Amino acid sequence: GEDVEQSLFLSVREGDSSVINCTYTDSSSTYLYWYKQEPGAGLQLLTYIFSNMDMKQDQRLTVLLNKKDKHLSLRIADTQTGDSAIYFCAESLTSSASKIIFGSGTRLSIRP
Amino acid sequence: NAGVTQTPKFRVLKTGQSMTLLCAQDMNHEYMYWYRQDPGMGLRLIHYSVGEGTTAKGEVPDGYNVSRLKKQNFLLGLESAAPSQTSVYFCASSYRAGTEAFFGQGTRLTVV
């Protein structure tokens, strides 16, 4: 079946690293995404990784993919107050024409 | 550079009323999607389209209809609104399968 799971909440101290985790079930996924949603706004693509990659780094963002365990993580280094948002993990499937399946989102809050 | 535009942004309907949500994209994308977002449930795919004149059912299609008469527009219709359709609706588009999806700002619909 197609399912993407995330924990609902994460709280970190400003300046620390945030790690948001995601698990997915469909092994036919080709791309895995992280989207950010700020209050009252739509979703904005943060980064993505091809399913044949293990890691991708983009400035403060590091994405790790463990295909064997179907586990994806997003690490945000030096977390800032502007990083407060809901983060969605998503996968696109080759088995189902162009569908993108989203997790329920992780709400990241920053403590001073 | 408008991207994906949704109208209206807010709407309150009475049970049994009908309405149409409009999504327009100016990026010449083939694929368009309608999602609904409910607390703790992430985004669920209602219907999608892989090109002009085509539509397909997503995860939660009941109570909704769609049309893609022009490539740039994807309409979502509610024939007889129900309180269970109270949600935030997001439209998205992508160039082709598996590529980045661009989202509109959302439509907050309340059915009373």
Side-chain angles (χ1 to χ4, degrees), chain A residues 1-16:
Chain A
E2 306 157 355
D3 198 13
V4 178
E5 293 192 354
Q6 307 174 234
S7 55
L8 291 180
F9 301 99
L10 177 65
S11 176
V12 299
R13 196 183 304 274
E14 187 175 2
D16 287 353

Side-chain angles (χ1 to χ4, degrees), chain A residues 72-89:
Chain A
L72 183 74
S73 68
L74 173 69
R75 179 176 179 270
I76 305 172
D78 187 24
T79 309
Q80 302 298 310
T81 54
D83 295 323
S84 291
I86 301 176
Y87 291 81
F88 290 91
C89 171

Side-chain angles (χ1 to χ4, degrees), chain A residues 31 33 35 37 45 88 100, chain B residues 31 33 35 37 90 98 100-101:
Chain A
Y31 293 74
Y33 306 90
Y35 281 84
Q37 184 183 31
L45 182 68
F88 290 91
I100 303 175
Chain B
Y31 296 85
Y33 314 85
Y35 289 90
Q37 183 180 26
F90 286 100
E100 176 186 358

Side-chain angles (χ1 to χ4, degrees), chain A residues 8 30-31 33 35 37 40-43 45 88 92 97-100 102-105, chain B residues 31 33 35 37 40-43 45 48 50 90 96-101 103-105:
Chain A
L8 291 180
T30 52
Y31 293 74
Y33 306 90
Y35 281 84
Q37 184 183 31
L43 278 70
L45 182 68
F88 290 91
S92 68
S98 68
K99 281 171 66 174
I100 303 175
F102 286 84
S104 56
Chain B
Y31 296 85
Y33 314 85
Y35 289 90
Q37 183 180 26
M41 299 186 76
L43 275 78
L45 183 65
Y48 64 100
V50 300
F90 286 100
R96 55 180 170 82
T99 58
E100 176 186 358
F103 281 80
Q105 291 296 95

Side-chain angles (χ1 to χ4, degrees), chain A residues 4-5 9 18 32 39 41 45 47 58 66 68 83 94 97 105-106:
Chain A
V4 178
E5 293 192 354
F9 301 99
S18 305
L32 293 132
L45 182 68
T47 186
D58 183 2
N66 181 329
K68 175 175 170 291
D83 295 323
T94 52
T106 299

Side-chain angles (χ1 to χ4, degrees), chain B residues 56-68:
Chain B
K57 293 181 180 180
E59 189 183 348
V60 288
D62 294 342
Y64 305 95
N65 57 75
V66 287
S67 64
R68 184 97 181 268

